[in-house]
Amino acid sequence: MARYIKREMADLNGTGKKQAYYRMQTWRKMSHEEFVNKCTYPGSGVSRAMMDAVLTAVAEELPRLMGMGYSVRIDGLGTFNAKLGVREDKEQDSFEEGEQKRNAKSIEVHGIGFRADKELVSKTDRECDLARGGVSR
């Protein structure tokens, strides 16, 4: 059974009222090996070697494609894309006239954006049996 934690959030609207939001309590991080075992149960028709090969191919191809400027959508999972930012040793660019302009060497990938497929969210909700886990301030 999954548990949720109620957290207190600072007022962003200036009304003086505290807001509550909820997050899933994470028990631990499941390893790659455990995940592969869950996906390759007897009768699934998927071998461990096949599952490992597919996950390895995805992990190798995703960064290559995102690095080329593609946004990659995997049906049932979601969409991945690269997030850019200014290198740590450089200053943020501005739109002021006479301001030094950034070149491509000043920009780098700072993260990966992921937007979950709506069906993944729906399936996760159907599988979720929540119980109160506590309050965190």
Side-chain angles (χ1 to χ4, degrees), residues 34-128:
E34 287 176 290
F35 181 72
V36 168
N37 285 337
K38 295 276 186 193
C39 294
T40 58
Y41 56 88
S44 69
V46 180
S47 71
R48 289 186 47 71
M50 183 187 303
M51 187 69 190
D52 255 337
V54 168
L55 290 174
T56 299
V58 168
E60 289 175 359
E61 196 62 20
L62 259 177
R64 191 177 78 74
L65 292 170
M66 288 186 293
M68 293 170 58
Y70 289 95
S71 177
V72 181
R73 182 174 190 279
I74 300 174
D75 290 343
L77 192 57
T79 304
F80 298 83
N81 62 305
K83 300 276 186 192
L84 301 179
V86 178
R87 289 190 183 279
E88 209 171 285
D89 60 335
K90 303 292 181 187
E91 287 187 29
Q92 189 74 29
D93 215 357
S94 74
F95 287 98
E96 303 286 323
E97 278 198 41
E99 186 79 24
Q100 182 182 351
K101 304 293 183 222
R102 292 282 145 245
N103 60 22
K105 297 236 183 257
S106 303
I107 310 296
E108 67 183 359
V109 175
H110 271 216
I112 303 298
F114 172 71
R115 184 170 187 105
D117 188 296
K118 287 180 182 177
E119 189 57 30
L120 176 64
V121 176
S122 295
K123 285 180 179 177
T124 303
D125 182 49
R126 286 192 299 270
E127 293 290 331
C128 193

